[in-house]
Amino acid sequence: MTRSRSDLVWIPTFATLVAFAVPWPLWGVDRVVAGLPVWIWWHVAWLGLCATLFSLFVRSGAWERGMGREGAAAAERGGGGR
């Protein structure tokens, strides 16, 4: 199986998302914003970013190519689905 260059961009993207999922830059920060600790806001923003990137990932078709379902997905989009 060959992967397109655009599919290979997703690997470092998701590695970065995993690396910063834990708010390690905020360890030791006790600041509170709008009644919640800053690390809670980090998680809220991070989940929004992850949802957005995962949506782009799925829309790009990289999910189907990675799972070996490229032909089935193309057939479903073309109206020849199951």
Side-chain angles (χ1 to χ4, degrees):
M1 173 178 17
T2 60
R3 292 185 178 190
S4 69
R5 286 185 178 180
S6 63
D7 289 352
L8 295 178
V9 170
W10 289 111
I11 295 170
T13 301
F14 284 114
T16 302
L17 287 177
V18 169
F20 287 98
V22 176
W24 56 266
L26 297 174
W27 286 355
V29 175
D30 294 333
R31 183 175 294 167
V32 175
V33 176
L36 294 174
V38 173
W39 62 269
I40 292 285
W41 293 113
W42 173 279
H43 281 296
V44 169
W46 206 251
L47 288 175
L49 178 65
C50 289
T52 302
L53 287 176
F54 190 71
S55 174
L56 291 174
F57 174 72
V58 171
R59 288 181 188 175
S60 73
W63 179 263
E64 284 95 5
R65 287 189 294 277
M67 294 291 122
R69 295 187 37 95
E70 186 175 14
E76 290 175 7
R77 281 190 292 259
R82 297 176 206 174

